[in-house]
Amino acid sequence: VACLDSYSLASDTVSVTLSDGTTTTSAGTATASTGAGTVTAGSVDASALADGTNNITATAKVEDAAGNWSSGVTSTSYSKETVAPVVSITSPTNGATGFSRTGPFTGTAGKLAGDIASVTVKFCQNTSFTAACDTTPDASGTASVNGSGNWSLTLSTALKNNKPYAMKVLQQDDAGNIGTSSVVKFNT
């Protein structure tokens, strides 16, 4: 935690806590080794704090050699987000045959604060989703997520006729977590 320039001296103890407004947890302590400056208290275990877009406040207090504690320096707020959006495919259903080559392909997606309001839909011409196809799909598209958490995609270029396909949907949140649907297999 920065902002300890006027508080910390060599051998002072710095204690860092994190709070989400409901739960407060210790982020660790460290001994200042070089006088005023930034002190690193090691890795932070924030697992006790609520997940989501809650504001997490880091507070540092300094104890000098005489046992006196500072009133605390509070840094800017951070958010903790470790849960990926939940996405699914509702159409086509797994095992569908004769499905439209352009769709519409539909499903549901996360609509929580921080969930990006679009999904990426990937198609592989095969009965499975290979790593190579995941990187370079045979077809793909992006669909917007509406306020109810639904998405719909109509492809501008049709999939091949009478072929097996596997498809999946991905959605990311602001923290970089990626939710992935189950793979759905269908034939055009």
Side-chain angles (χ1 to χ4, degrees):
V1 175
C3 302
L4 298 177
D5 293 346
S6 61
Y7 292 95
S8 61
L9 300 173
S11 77
D12 283 353
T13 299
V14 179
S15 172
V16 180
T17 58
L18 300 176
S19 174
D20 63 8
T22 303
T23 303
T24 300
T25 186
S26 173
T29 59
T31 301
S33 59
T34 59
T38 301
V39 176
T40 302
S43 63
V44 175
D45 179 7
S47 60
L49 303 177
D51 194 65
T53 57
N54 307 303
N55 286 329
I56 297 174
T57 303
T59 302
K61 291 185 177 185
V62 180
E63 179 185 28
D64 65 17
N68 301 309
W69 283 94
S70 69
S71 60
V73 177
T74 301
S75 70
T76 53
S77 294
Y78 303 92
S79 63
K80 175 188 171 193
E81 177 60 66
T82 60
V83 177
V86 176
V87 291
S88 68
I89 300 167
T90 54
S91 180
T93 57
N94 201 38
T97 57
F99 195 79
S100 169
R101 296 169 44 209
T102 57
F105 302 92
T106 62
T108 61
K111 59 179 184 165
L112 298 176
D115 290 345
I116 294 175
S118 64
V119 296
T120 300
V121 185
K122 295 182 177 184
F123 300 88
C124 291
Q125 185 187 325
N126 203 332
T127 56
S128 64
F129 222 94
T130 64
C133 187
D134 195 27
T135 303
T136 309
D138 295 317
S140 65
T142 301
S144 296
V145 178
N146 68 23
S148 299
N150 298 308
W151 60 267
S152 179
L153 173 70
T154 300
L155 294 172
S156 57
T157 302
L159 300 174
K160 293 182 180 177
N161 196 26
N162 293 320
K163 298 291 181 185
Y165 280 90
M167 70 177 283
K168 69 178 178 180
V169 179
L170 299 95
Q171 183 184 23
Q172 189 169 341
D173 65 20
D174 291 339
N177 302 304
I178 299 174
T180 305
S181 71
S182 297
V183 173
V184 169
K185 301 172 185 178
F186 67 97
N187 286 330
T188 55

